[in-house]
PDB file of all heavy atoms in Angstrom:
ATOM      1  N   TYR A  10      -0.373 -71.924 -16.253  1.00  0.00           N
ATOM      2  CA  TYR A  10      -1.316 -71.577 -15.145  1.00  0.00           C
ATOM      3  C   TYR A  10      -1.563 -70.073 -15.083  1.00  0.00           C
ATOM      4  O   TYR A  10      -2.741 -69.532 -15.180  1.00  0.00           O
ATOM      5  CB  TYR A  10      -0.888 -72.107 -13.931  1.00  0.00           C
ATOM      6  CG  TYR A  10      -1.896 -71.821 -12.698  1.00  0.00           C
ATOM      7  CD1 TYR A  10      -2.956 -72.576 -12.599  1.00  0.00           C
ATOM      8  CD2 TYR A  10      -1.639 -70.676 -11.926  1.00  0.00           C
ATOM      9  CE1 TYR A  10      -3.915 -72.299 -11.495  1.00  0.00           C
ATOM     10  CE2 TYR A  10      -2.540 -70.452 -10.839  1.00  0.00           C
ATOM     11  CZ  TYR A  10      -3.591 -71.295 -10.731  1.00  0.00           C
ATOM     12  OH  TYR A  10      -4.594 -70.906  -9.816  1.00  0.00           O
ATOM     13  N   VAL A  11      -0.493 -69.321 -14.872  1.00  0.00           N
ATOM     14  CA  VAL A  11      -0.732 -67.798 -14.649  1.00  0.00           C
ATOM     15  C   VAL A  11      -1.134 -67.079 -15.991  1.00  0.00           C
ATOM     16  O   VAL A  11      -1.988 -66.298 -15.963  1.00  0.00           O
ATOM     17  CB  VAL A  11       0.786 -67.210 -14.281  1.00  0.00           C
ATOM     18  CG1 VAL A  11       0.521 -65.734 -14.120  1.00  0.00           C
ATOM     19  CG2 VAL A  11       1.068 -67.756 -12.823  1.00  0.00           C
ATOM     20  N   THR A 119       6.972 -64.908 -11.737  1.00  0.00           N
ATOM     21  CA  THR A 119       7.729 -64.435 -10.592  1.00  0.00           C
ATOM     22  C   THR A 119       9.137 -64.413 -10.780  1.00  0.00           C
ATOM     23  O   THR A 119       9.789 -65.500 -11.006  1.00  0.00           O
ATOM     24  CB  THR A 119       7.334 -65.441  -9.403  1.00  0.00           C
ATOM     25  OG1 THR A 119       5.920 -65.246  -9.203  1.00  0.00           O
ATOM     26  CG2 THR A 119       7.944 -64.957  -8.155  1.00  0.00           C
ATOM     27  N   GLU A 149       1.846 -61.339  -9.993  1.00  0.00           N
ATOM     28  CA  GLU A 149       0.630 -61.896  -9.692  1.00  0.00           C
ATOM     29  C   GLU A 149       0.520 -62.354  -8.333  1.00  0.00           C
ATOM     30  O   GLU A 149       1.430 -62.736  -7.643  1.00  0.00           O
ATOM     31  CB  GLU A 149       0.395 -63.074 -10.617  1.00  0.00           C
ATOM     32  CG  GLU A 149       1.478 -64.171 -10.741  1.00  0.00           C
ATOM     33  CD  GLU A 149       1.224 -65.284  -9.810  1.00  0.00           C
ATOM     34  OE1 GLU A 149       0.039 -65.354  -9.220  1.00  0.00           O
ATOM     35  OE2 GLU A 149       2.018 -66.109  -9.511  1.00  0.00           O
ATOM     36  N   PHE A 150      -0.725 -62.217  -7.840  1.00  0.00           N
ATOM     37  CA  PHE A 150      -1.106 -62.789  -6.462  1.00  0.00           C
ATOM     38  C   PHE A 150      -2.260 -63.717  -6.578  1.00  0.00           C
ATOM     39  O   PHE A 150      -3.191 -63.434  -5.773  1.00  0.00           O
ATOM     40  CB  PHE A 150      -1.388 -61.513  -5.474  1.00  0.00           C
ATOM     41  CG  PHE A 150      -0.182 -60.470  -5.437  1.00  0.00           C
ATOM     42  CD1 PHE A 150      -0.379 -59.384  -6.245  1.00  0.00           C
ATOM     43  CD2 PHE A 150       0.904 -60.826  -4.827  1.00  0.00           C
ATOM     44  CE1 PHE A 150       0.675 -58.362  -6.128  1.00  0.00           C
ATOM     45  CE2 PHE A 150       1.976 -59.826  -4.825  1.00  0.00           C
ATOM     46  CZ  PHE A 150       1.861 -58.761  -5.401  1.00  0.00           C
ATOM     47  N   LEU A 151      -2.018 -64.659  -7.348  1.00  0.00           N
ATOM     48  CA  LEU A 151      -3.156 -65.569  -7.629  1.00  0.00           C
ATOM     49  C   LEU A 151      -3.004 -66.979  -6.934  1.00  0.00           C
ATOM     50  O   LEU A 151      -1.936 -67.505  -6.869  1.00  0.00           O
ATOM     51  CB  LEU A 151      -3.255 -65.979  -9.121  1.00  0.00           C
ATOM     52  CG  LEU A 151      -3.322 -64.850 -10.080  1.00  0.00           C
ATOM     53  CD1 LEU A 151      -3.169 -65.243 -11.632  1.00  0.00           C
ATOM     54  CD2 LEU A 151      -4.500 -63.961  -9.890  1.00  0.00           C
ATOM     55  N   ARG A 152      -4.071 -67.091  -6.105  1.00  0.00           N
ATOM     56  CA  ARG A 152      -3.885 -68.474  -5.320  1.00  0.00           C
ATOM     57  C   ARG A 152      -4.636 -69.542  -6.132  1.00  0.00           C
ATOM     58  O   ARG A 152      -5.629 -69.328  -6.781  1.00  0.00           O
ATOM     59  CB  ARG A 152      -4.769 -68.360  -3.988  1.00  0.00           C
ATOM     60  CG  ARG A 152      -3.861 -67.752  -2.902  1.00  0.00           C
ATOM     61  CD  ARG A 152      -4.880 -67.418  -1.876  1.00  0.00           C
ATOM     62  NE  ARG A 152      -5.985 -66.489  -2.259  1.00  0.00           N
ATOM     63  CZ  ARG A 152      -7.052 -66.203  -1.556  1.00  0.00           C
ATOM     64  NH1 ARG A 152      -7.168 -66.639  -0.405  1.00  0.00           N
ATOM     65  NH2 ARG A 152      -7.959 -65.439  -2.141  1.00  0.00           N
ATOM     66  N   GLU A 153      -3.963 -70.787  -6.315  1.00  0.00           N
ATOM     67  CA  GLU A 153      -4.610 -71.831  -6.969  1.00  0.00           C
ATOM     68  C   GLU A 153      -5.939 -72.141  -6.335  1.00  0.00           C
ATOM     69  O   GLU A 153      -5.933 -72.130  -5.095  1.00  0.00           O
ATOM     70  CB  GLU A 153      -3.717 -73.098  -7.031  1.00  0.00           C
ATOM     71  CG  GLU A 153      -2.655 -73.038  -8.015  1.00  0.00           C
ATOM     72  CD  GLU A 153      -1.805 -74.206  -8.066  1.00  0.00           C
ATOM     73  OE1 GLU A 153      -2.352 -75.358  -7.937  1.00  0.00           O
ATOM     74  OE2 GLU A 153      -0.572 -74.155  -8.121  1.00  0.00           O
ATOM     75  N   ASP A 159      -9.241 -63.982  -7.297  1.00  0.00           N
ATOM     76  CA  ASP A 159      -8.168 -63.200  -6.868  1.00  0.00           C
ATOM     77  C   ASP A 159      -7.798 -62.106  -8.052  1.00  0.00           C
ATOM     78  O   ASP A 159      -7.123 -61.073  -7.797  1.00  0.00           O
ATOM     79  CB  ASP A 159      -6.856 -64.036  -6.733  1.00  0.00           C
ATOM     80  CG  ASP A 159      -7.068 -64.813  -5.336  1.00  0.00           C
ATOM     81  OD1 ASP A 159      -7.902 -64.440  -4.541  1.00  0.00           O
ATOM     82  OD2 ASP A 159      -6.192 -65.853  -5.131  1.00  0.00           O
ATOM     83  N   LYS A 202       6.575 -59.033  -4.651  1.00  0.00           N
ATOM     84  CA  LYS A 202       6.020 -60.368  -4.924  1.00  0.00           C
ATOM     85  C   LYS A 202       6.805 -61.291  -3.950  1.00  0.00           C
ATOM     86  O   LYS A 202       6.058 -62.127  -3.227  1.00  0.00           O
ATOM     87  CB  LYS A 202       6.239 -60.926  -6.335  1.00  0.00           C
ATOM     88  CG  LYS A 202       5.932 -62.285  -6.671  1.00  0.00           C
ATOM     89  CD  LYS A 202       4.441 -62.634  -6.441  1.00  0.00           C
ATOM     90  CE  LYS A 202       4.328 -64.128  -6.209  1.00  0.00           C
ATOM     91  NZ  LYS A 202       3.606 -64.738  -7.233  1.00  0.00           N
ATOM     92  N   ASN A 206       4.876 -63.327  -0.706  1.00  0.00           N
ATOM     93  CA  ASN A 206       4.836 -64.818  -0.447  1.00  0.00           C
ATOM     94  C   ASN A 206       5.732 -65.265   0.681  1.00  0.00           C
ATOM     95  O   ASN A 206       5.428 -66.295   1.514  1.00  0.00           O
ATOM     96  CB  ASN A 206       5.360 -65.611  -1.732  1.00  0.00           C
ATOM     97  CG  ASN A 206       4.232 -65.797  -2.610  1.00  0.00           C
ATOM     98  OD1 ASN A 206       3.152 -65.380  -2.361  1.00  0.00           O
ATOM     99  ND2 ASN A 206       4.439 -66.516  -3.825  1.00  0.00           N
ATOM    100  N   LEU A 209       3.798 -64.520   3.995  1.00  0.00           N
ATOM    101  CA  LEU A 209       2.810 -65.562   4.165  1.00  0.00           C
ATOM    102  C   LEU A 209       3.307 -66.831   4.686  1.00  0.00           C
ATOM    103  O   LEU A 209       2.695 -67.454   5.576  1.00  0.00           O
ATOM    104  CB  LEU A 209       1.879 -65.717   2.889  1.00  0.00           C
ATOM    105  CG  LEU A 209       1.057 -64.495   2.478  1.00  0.00           C
ATOM    106  CD1 LEU A 209       0.453 -64.708   1.085  1.00  0.00           C
ATOM    107  CD2 LEU A 209      -0.023 -64.140   3.515  1.00  0.00           C
ATOM    108  N   ILE A 213       2.751 -68.927   8.400  1.00  0.00           N
ATOM    109  CA  ILE A 213       2.460 -70.266   8.509  1.00  0.00           C
ATOM    110  C   ILE A 213       3.437 -71.033   9.419  1.00  0.00           C
ATOM    111  O   ILE A 213       2.981 -71.655  10.441  1.00  0.00           O
ATOM    112  CB  ILE A 213       2.282 -70.960   7.252  1.00  0.00           C
ATOM    113  CG1 ILE A 213       1.182 -70.437   6.403  1.00  0.00           C
ATOM    114  CG2 ILE A 213       1.946 -72.505   7.334  1.00  0.00           C
ATOM    115  CD1 ILE A 213       1.122 -70.825   4.973  1.00  0.00           C
ATOM    116  N   ILE A 216       2.776 -69.820  13.098  1.00  0.00           N
ATOM    117  CA  ILE A 216       1.714 -70.401  13.805  1.00  0.00           C
ATOM    118  C   ILE A 216       1.953 -72.026  14.013  1.00  0.00           C
ATOM    119  O   ILE A 216       1.551 -72.472  15.087  1.00  0.00           O
ATOM    120  CB  ILE A 216       0.316 -70.196  13.010  1.00  0.00           C
ATOM    121  CG1 ILE A 216      -0.812 -70.231  14.074  1.00  0.00           C
ATOM    122  CG2 ILE A 216       0.117 -71.135  11.857  1.00  0.00           C
ATOM    123  CD1 ILE A 216      -0.951 -69.269  15.027  1.00  0.00           C
ATOM    124  N   ASN A 217       2.598 -72.560  13.150  1.00  0.00           N
ATOM    125  CA  ASN A 217       3.019 -73.950  13.344  1.00  0.00           C
ATOM    126  C   ASN A 217       3.907 -74.143  14.549  1.00  0.00           C
ATOM    127  O   ASN A 217       3.853 -75.161  15.324  1.00  0.00           O
ATOM    128  CB  ASN A 217       3.473 -74.555  11.993  1.00  0.00           C
ATOM    129  CG  ASN A 217       2.342 -75.013  11.024  1.00  0.00           C
ATOM    130  OD1 ASN A 217       1.326 -74.995  11.425  1.00  0.00           O
ATOM    131  ND2 ASN A 217       2.744 -74.976   9.764  1.00  0.00           N
ATOM    132  N   TYR A 246      -5.814 -64.197   8.557  1.00  0.00           N
ATOM    133  CA  TYR A 246      -5.390 -65.094   7.558  1.00  0.00           C
ATOM    134  C   TYR A 246      -4.088 -65.826   7.630  1.00  0.00           C
ATOM    135  O   TYR A 246      -3.239 -65.218   8.223  1.00  0.00           O
ATOM    136  CB  TYR A 246      -5.538 -64.327   6.134  1.00  0.00           C
ATOM    137  CG  TYR A 246      -6.899 -63.621   6.063  1.00  0.00           C
ATOM    138  CD1 TYR A 246      -7.001 -62.348   6.070  1.00  0.00           C
ATOM    139  CD2 TYR A 246      -8.062 -64.500   5.767  1.00  0.00           C
ATOM    140  CE1 TYR A 246      -8.272 -61.678   5.969  1.00  0.00           C
ATOM    141  CE2 TYR A 246      -9.227 -63.831   5.728  1.00  0.00           C
ATOM    142  CZ  TYR A 246      -9.367 -62.500   5.746  1.00  0.00           C
ATOM    143  OH  TYR A 246     -10.611 -61.872   5.723  1.00  0.00           O
ATOM    144  N   PHE A 247      -3.994 -66.966   7.136  1.00  0.00           N
ATOM    145  CA  PHE A 247      -2.627 -67.792   7.084  1.00  0.00           C
ATOM    146  C   PHE A 247      -2.308 -68.067   8.495  1.00  0.00           C
ATOM    147  O   PHE A 247      -1.128 -67.932   8.821  1.00  0.00           O
ATOM    148  CB  PHE A 247      -1.673 -66.993   6.278  1.00  0.00           C
ATOM    149  CG  PHE A 247      -1.950 -67.343   4.692  1.00  0.00           C
ATOM    150  CD1 PHE A 247      -2.928 -66.653   4.131  1.00  0.00           C
ATOM    151  CD2 PHE A 247      -1.129 -68.204   4.166  1.00  0.00           C
ATOM    152  CE1 PHE A 247      -3.236 -67.066   2.816  1.00  0.00           C
ATOM    153  CE2 PHE A 247      -1.328 -68.464   2.824  1.00  0.00           C
ATOM    154  CZ  PHE A 247      -2.535 -67.921   2.166  1.00  0.00           C
ATOM    155  N   LEU A 248      -3.316 -68.282   9.447  1.00  0.00           N
ATOM    156  CA  LEU A 248      -2.940 -68.640  10.734  1.00  0.00           C
ATOM    157  C   LEU A 248      -3.487 -69.964  11.119  1.00  0.00           C
ATOM    158  O   LEU A 248      -3.635 -70.347  12.228  1.00  0.00           O
ATOM    159  CB  LEU A 248      -3.486 -67.583  11.801  1.00  0.00           C
ATOM    160  CG  LEU A 248      -2.721 -66.239  11.829  1.00  0.00           C
ATOM    161  CD1 LEU A 248      -3.561 -65.352  12.903  1.00  0.00           C
ATOM    162  CD2 LEU A 248      -1.407 -66.474  12.191  1.00  0.00           C
ATOM    163  N   ASN A 249      -3.699 -70.775  10.111  1.00  0.00           N
ATOM    164  CA  ASN A 249      -4.267 -72.184  10.320  1.00  0.00           C
ATOM    165  C   ASN A 249      -3.077 -73.065  10.463  1.00  0.00           C
ATOM    166  O   ASN A 249      -2.274 -73.267   9.470  1.00  0.00           O
ATOM    167  CB  ASN A 249      -5.096 -72.714   9.100  1.00  0.00           C
ATOM    168  CG  ASN A 249      -6.387 -71.905   9.018  1.00  0.00           C
ATOM    169  OD1 ASN A 249      -6.964 -71.550  10.061  1.00  0.00           O
ATOM    170  ND2 ASN A 249      -6.797 -71.591   7.752  1.00  0.00           N
ATOM    171  N   ALA A 250      -2.906 -73.617  11.601  1.00  0.00           N
ATOM    172  CA  ALA A 250      -1.784 -74.603  11.910  1.00  0.00           C
ATOM    173  C   ALA A 250      -2.086 -75.835  11.178  1.00  0.00           C
ATOM    174  O   ALA A 250      -3.200 -76.180  11.001  1.00  0.00           O
ATOM    175  CB  ALA A 250      -1.646 -74.749  13.415  1.00  0.00           C
ATOM    176  N   GLY A 251      -1.085 -76.620  10.822  1.00  0.00           N
ATOM    177  CA  GLY A 251      -1.217 -77.871  10.226  1.00  0.00           C
ATOM    178  C   GLY A 251       0.030 -78.520   9.783  1.00  0.00           C
ATOM    179  O   GLY A 251       1.062 -78.334  10.502  1.00  0.00           O
ATOM    180  N   ILE A 252       0.124 -79.083   8.708  1.00  0.00           N
ATOM    181  CA  ILE A 252       1.424 -79.794   8.195  1.00  0.00           C
ATOM    182  C   ILE A 252       2.254 -78.926   7.347  1.00  0.00           C
ATOM    183  O   ILE A 252       3.094 -79.394   6.761  1.00  0.00           O
ATOM    184  CB  ILE A 252       1.002 -81.161   7.413  1.00  0.00           C
ATOM    185  CG1 ILE A 252      -0.140 -80.867   6.492  1.00  0.00           C
ATOM    186  CG2 ILE A 252       0.741 -82.322   8.498  1.00  0.00           C
ATOM    187  CD1 ILE A 252      -0.399 -82.038   5.539  1.00  0.00           C
ATOM    188  N   GLY A 253       1.791 -77.694   7.334  1.00  0.00           N
ATOM    189  CA  GLY A 253       2.699 -76.724   6.591  1.00  0.00           C
ATOM    190  C   GLY A 253       2.397 -76.479   5.140  1.00  0.00           C
ATOM    191  O   GLY A 253       1.384 -77.116   4.582  1.00  0.00           O
ATOM    192  N   PHE A 254       3.072 -75.551   4.517  1.00  0.00           N
ATOM    193  CA  PHE A 254       2.708 -75.118   3.244  1.00  0.00           C
ATOM    194  C   PHE A 254       3.417 -75.953   2.198  1.00  0.00           C
ATOM    195  O   PHE A 254       4.530 -76.639   2.441  1.00  0.00           O
ATOM    196  CB  PHE A 254       3.155 -73.722   2.948  1.00  0.00           C
ATOM    197  CG  PHE A 254       4.494 -73.373   3.245  1.00  0.00           C
ATOM    198  CD1 PHE A 254       5.638 -73.614   2.335  1.00  0.00           C
ATOM    199  CD2 PHE A 254       4.900 -72.749   4.477  1.00  0.00           C
ATOM    200  CE1 PHE A 254       6.875 -73.262   2.634  1.00  0.00           C
ATOM    201  CE2 PHE A 254       6.195 -72.454   4.767  1.00  0.00           C
ATOM    202  CZ  PHE A 254       7.144 -72.662   3.903  1.00  0.00           C
ATOM    203  N   GLY A 255       2.821 -76.121   0.947  1.00  0.00           N
ATOM    204  CA  GLY A 255       3.257 -76.782  -0.083  1.00  0.00           C
ATOM    205  C   GLY A 255       3.163 -76.034  -1.361  1.00  0.00           C
ATOM    206  O   GLY A 255       2.912 -74.818  -1.304  1.00  0.00           O
ATOM    207  N   GLY A 256       2.991 -76.624  -2.464  1.00  0.00           N
ATOM    208  CA  GLY A 256       2.747 -75.932  -3.768  1.00  0.00           C
ATOM    209  C   GLY A 256       3.982 -75.518  -4.470  1.00  0.00           C
ATOM    210  O   GLY A 256       5.159 -75.620  -4.090  1.00  0.00           O
ATOM    211  N   SER A 257       3.780 -74.815  -5.642  1.00  0.00           N
ATOM    212  CA  SER A 257       4.874 -74.474  -6.580  1.00  0.00           C
ATOM    213  C   SER A 257       5.439 -73.142  -6.097  1.00  0.00           C
ATOM    214  O   SER A 257       6.387 -72.744  -6.724  1.00  0.00           O
ATOM    215  CB  SER A 257       4.415 -74.532  -7.957  1.00  0.00           C
ATOM    216  OG  SER A 257       3.470 -73.593  -8.184  1.00  0.00           O
ATOM    217  N   CYS A 258       4.803 -72.368  -5.323  1.00  0.00           N
ATOM    218  CA  CYS A 258       5.130 -70.968  -5.105  1.00  0.00           C
ATOM    219  C   CYS A 258       5.961 -70.732  -3.682  1.00  0.00           C
ATOM    220  O   CYS A 258       7.160 -70.337  -3.912  1.00  0.00           O
ATOM    221  CB  CYS A 258       3.910 -70.108  -5.066  1.00  0.00           C
ATOM    222  SG  CYS A 258       2.900 -70.317  -6.552  1.00  0.00           S
ATOM    223  N   PHE A 259       5.325 -70.976  -2.627  1.00  0.00           N
ATOM    224  CA  PHE A 259       6.066 -70.557  -1.452  1.00  0.00           C
ATOM    225  C   PHE A 259       7.547 -71.211  -1.301  1.00  0.00           C
ATOM    226  O   PHE A 259       8.545 -70.640  -0.992  1.00  0.00           O
ATOM    227  CB  PHE A 259       5.166 -71.000  -0.140  1.00  0.00           C
ATOM    228  CG  PHE A 259       4.052 -70.169   0.071  1.00  0.00           C
ATOM    229  CD1 PHE A 259       3.244 -70.411   1.082  1.00  0.00           C
ATOM    230  CD2 PHE A 259       3.712 -69.020  -0.833  1.00  0.00           C
ATOM    231  CE1 PHE A 259       2.057 -69.590   1.362  1.00  0.00           C
ATOM    232  CE2 PHE A 259       2.709 -68.255  -0.497  1.00  0.00           C
ATOM    233  CZ  PHE A 259       1.786 -68.416   0.406  1.00  0.00           C
ATOM    234  N   ASP A 262       9.839 -69.714  -3.905  1.00  0.00           N
ATOM    235  CA  ASP A 262       9.975 -68.237  -3.720  1.00  0.00           C
ATOM    236  C   ASP A 262      10.941 -67.960  -2.469  1.00  0.00           C
ATOM    237  O   ASP A 262      11.654 -66.939  -2.386  1.00  0.00           O
ATOM    238  CB  ASP A 262       8.645 -67.434  -3.600  1.00  0.00           C
ATOM    239  CG  ASP A 262       8.006 -67.421  -4.893  1.00  0.00           C
ATOM    240  OD1 ASP A 262       8.560 -67.823  -5.895  1.00  0.00           O
ATOM    241  OD2 ASP A 262       6.761 -66.901  -5.029  1.00  0.00           O
ATOM    242  N   PHE A 317      -1.770 -80.229  -2.494  1.00  0.00           N
ATOM    243  CA  PHE A 317      -1.057 -79.294  -1.467  1.00  0.00           C
ATOM    244  C   PHE A 317      -2.042 -78.437  -0.705  1.00  0.00           C
ATOM    245  O   PHE A 317      -1.633 -78.046   0.233  1.00  0.00           O
ATOM    246  CB  PHE A 317       0.068 -78.657  -2.095  1.00  0.00           C
ATOM    247  CG  PHE A 317      -0.345 -77.233  -2.836  1.00  0.00           C
ATOM    248  CD1 PHE A 317      -0.193 -76.112  -2.236  1.00  0.00           C
ATOM    249  CD2 PHE A 317      -0.774 -77.284  -4.026  1.00  0.00           C
ATOM    250  CE1 PHE A 317      -0.501 -74.939  -2.787  1.00  0.00           C
ATOM    251  CE2 PHE A 317      -1.143 -76.191  -4.840  1.00  0.00           C
ATOM    252  CZ  PHE A 317      -1.005 -74.913  -4.110  1.00  0.00           C
ATOM    253  N   LYS A 318      -3.331 -78.262  -1.306  1.00  0.00           N
ATOM    254  CA  LYS A 318      -4.315 -77.632  -0.581  1.00  0.00           C
ATOM    255  C   LYS A 318      -5.600 -78.035  -1.351  1.00  0.00           C
ATOM    256  O   LYS A 318      -5.601 -78.620  -2.423  1.00  0.00           O
ATOM    257  CB  LYS A 318      -4.070 -76.169  -0.595  1.00  0.00           C
ATOM    258  CG  LYS A 318      -4.142 -75.505  -1.990  1.00  0.00           C
ATOM    259  CD  LYS A 318      -4.081 -73.973  -1.940  1.00  0.00           C
ATOM    260  CE  LYS A 318      -4.395 -73.457  -3.157  1.00  0.00           C
ATOM    261  NZ  LYS A 318      -4.430 -71.904  -3.185  1.00  0.00           N
ATOM    262  N   PRO A 319      -6.717 -77.732  -0.803  1.00  0.00           N
ATOM    263  CA  PRO A 319      -8.021 -78.056  -1.464  1.00  0.00           C
ATOM    264  C   PRO A 319      -8.300 -77.353  -2.808  1.00  0.00           C
ATOM    265  O   PRO A 319      -7.669 -76.366  -3.042  1.00  0.00           O
ATOM    266  CB  PRO A 319      -9.063 -77.709  -0.454  1.00  0.00           C
ATOM    267  CG  PRO A 319      -8.439 -77.216   0.795  1.00  0.00           C
ATOM    268  CD  PRO A 319      -7.039 -76.972   0.425  1.00  0.00           C
ATOM    269  N   PRO A 328       2.737 -81.958   0.903  1.00  0.00           N
ATOM    270  CA  PRO A 328       3.203 -82.689   2.192  1.00  0.00           C
ATOM    271  C   PRO A 328       2.847 -84.178   1.985  1.00  0.00           C
ATOM    272  O   PRO A 328       3.666 -85.026   2.459  1.00  0.00           O
ATOM    273  CB  PRO A 328       2.337 -82.074   3.353  1.00  0.00           C
ATOM    274  CG  PRO A 328       2.137 -80.761   2.871  1.00  0.00           C
ATOM    275  CD  PRO A 328       2.011 -80.755   1.375  1.00  0.00           C
ATOM    276  N   GLU A 383      -7.577 -80.268   3.536  1.00  0.00           N
ATOM    277  CA  GLU A 383      -8.810 -79.940   4.104  1.00  0.00           C
ATOM    278  C   GLU A 383      -9.968 -79.736   3.091  1.00  0.00           C
ATOM    279  O   GLU A 383     -10.630 -78.649   2.943  1.00  0.00           O
ATOM    280  CB  GLU A 383      -8.725 -78.814   5.100  1.00  0.00           C
ATOM    281  CG  GLU A 383      -8.441 -77.406   4.412  1.00  0.00           C
ATOM    282  CD  GLU A 383      -6.970 -77.149   4.161  1.00  0.00           C
ATOM    283  OE1 GLU A 383      -6.173 -77.981   3.777  1.00  0.00           O
ATOM    284  OE2 GLU A 383      -6.569 -76.033   4.285  1.00  0.00           O
ATOM    285  N   ARG A 408      -4.905 -81.117   9.367  1.00  0.00           N
ATOM    286  CA  ARG A 408      -5.463 -79.787   9.028  1.00  0.00           C
ATOM    287  C   ARG A 408      -6.454 -79.283  10.047  1.00  0.00           C
ATOM    288  O   ARG A 408      -7.221 -78.218   9.666  1.00  0.00           O
ATOM    289  CB  ARG A 408      -6.054 -79.839   7.579  1.00  0.00           C
ATOM    290  CG  ARG A 408      -5.192 -80.316   6.592  1.00  0.00           C
ATOM    291  CD  ARG A 408      -4.059 -79.162   6.206  1.00  0.00           C
ATOM    292  NE  ARG A 408      -3.302 -79.458   5.030  1.00  0.00           N
ATOM    293  CZ  ARG A 408      -2.437 -78.575   4.601  1.00  0.00           C
ATOM    294  NH1 ARG A 408      -2.219 -77.437   5.292  1.00  0.00           N
ATOM    295  NH2 ARG A 408      -1.645 -78.932   3.567  1.00  0.00           N
TER     296      ARG A 408
HETATM  297  C1  UGA B 501       0.460 -68.383  -3.156  1.00  0.00           C
HETATM  298  C2  UGA B 501      -0.102 -67.062  -2.747  1.00  0.00           C
HETATM  299  O1  UGA B 501      -1.054 -67.151  -1.774  1.00  0.00           O
HETATM  300  C3  UGA B 501      -0.539 -66.272  -3.955  1.00  0.00           C
HETATM  301  O2  UGA B 501      -0.860 -64.973  -3.625  1.00  0.00           O
HETATM  302  C4  UGA B 501       0.646 -66.218  -5.031  1.00  0.00           C
HETATM  303  O3  UGA B 501       0.215 -65.430  -6.109  1.00  0.00           O
HETATM  304  C5  UGA B 501       1.014 -67.712  -5.450  1.00  0.00           C
HETATM  305  O4  UGA B 501       1.505 -68.287  -4.232  1.00  0.00           O
HETATM  306  C6  UGA B 501       2.179 -67.624  -6.405  1.00  0.00           C
HETATM  307  O5  UGA B 501       3.062 -67.139  -5.985  1.00  0.00           O
HETATM  308  O6  UGA B 501       1.932 -67.910  -7.515  1.00  0.00           O
HETATM  309  P1  UGA B 501      -0.831 -70.686  -3.605  1.00  0.00           P
HETATM  310  O7  UGA B 501       0.544 -71.390  -3.534  1.00  0.00           O
HETATM  311  O8  UGA B 501      -1.766 -71.137  -4.736  1.00  0.00           O
HETATM  312  O9  UGA B 501      -0.771 -69.115  -3.653  1.00  0.00           O
HETATM  313  O10 UGA B 501      -1.580 -71.166  -2.288  1.00  0.00           O
HETATM  314  P2  UGA B 501      -1.958 -70.576  -0.894  1.00  0.00           P
HETATM  315  O11 UGA B 501      -3.424 -70.511  -0.744  1.00  0.00           O
HETATM  316  O12 UGA B 501      -1.215 -69.295  -0.632  1.00  0.00           O
HETATM  317  O13 UGA B 501      -1.384 -71.729   0.063  1.00  0.00           O
HETATM  318  C7  UGA B 501      -0.079 -72.091   0.204  1.00  0.00           C
HETATM  319  C8  UGA B 501       0.117 -73.211   1.165  1.00  0.00           C
HETATM  320  O14 UGA B 501      -0.037 -72.729   2.422  1.00  0.00           O
HETATM  321  C9  UGA B 501      -0.875 -74.386   1.057  1.00  0.00           C
HETATM  322  O15 UGA B 501      -0.224 -75.616   1.159  1.00  0.00           O
HETATM  323  C10 UGA B 501      -1.801 -74.316   2.254  1.00  0.00           C
HETATM  324  O16 UGA B 501      -2.180 -75.465   2.693  1.00  0.00           O
HETATM  325  C11 UGA B 501      -0.798 -73.605   3.273  1.00  0.00           C
HETATM  326  N1  UGA B 501      -1.456 -72.812   4.319  1.00  0.00           N
HETATM  327  C12 UGA B 501      -2.164 -71.768   3.973  1.00  0.00           C
HETATM  328  C13 UGA B 501      -1.422 -73.194   5.596  1.00  0.00           C
HETATM  329  O17 UGA B 501      -0.801 -74.220   5.927  1.00  0.00           O
HETATM  330  N2  UGA B 501      -2.009 -72.480   6.562  1.00  0.00           N
HETATM  331  C14 UGA B 501      -2.679 -71.441   6.311  1.00  0.00           C
HETATM  332  O18 UGA B 501      -3.232 -70.720   7.163  1.00  0.00           O
HETATM  333  C15 UGA B 501      -2.820 -71.002   4.966  1.00  0.00           C
END
Side-chain angles (χ1 to χ4, degrees):
Y10 180 80
V11 174
T119 299
E149 56 91 9
F150 304 103
L151 309 173
R152 282 166 301 176
E153 281 183 39
D159 288 346
K202 170 63 196 250
N206 274 4
L209 292 170
I213 298 170
I216 204 66
N217 283 337
Y246 306 106
F247 282 68
L248 287 180
N249 292 326
I252 43 171
F254 55 81
S257 64
C258 306
F259 287 178
D262 289 354
F317 83 100
K318 66 173 193 176
E383 67 278 33
R408 299 294 185 177

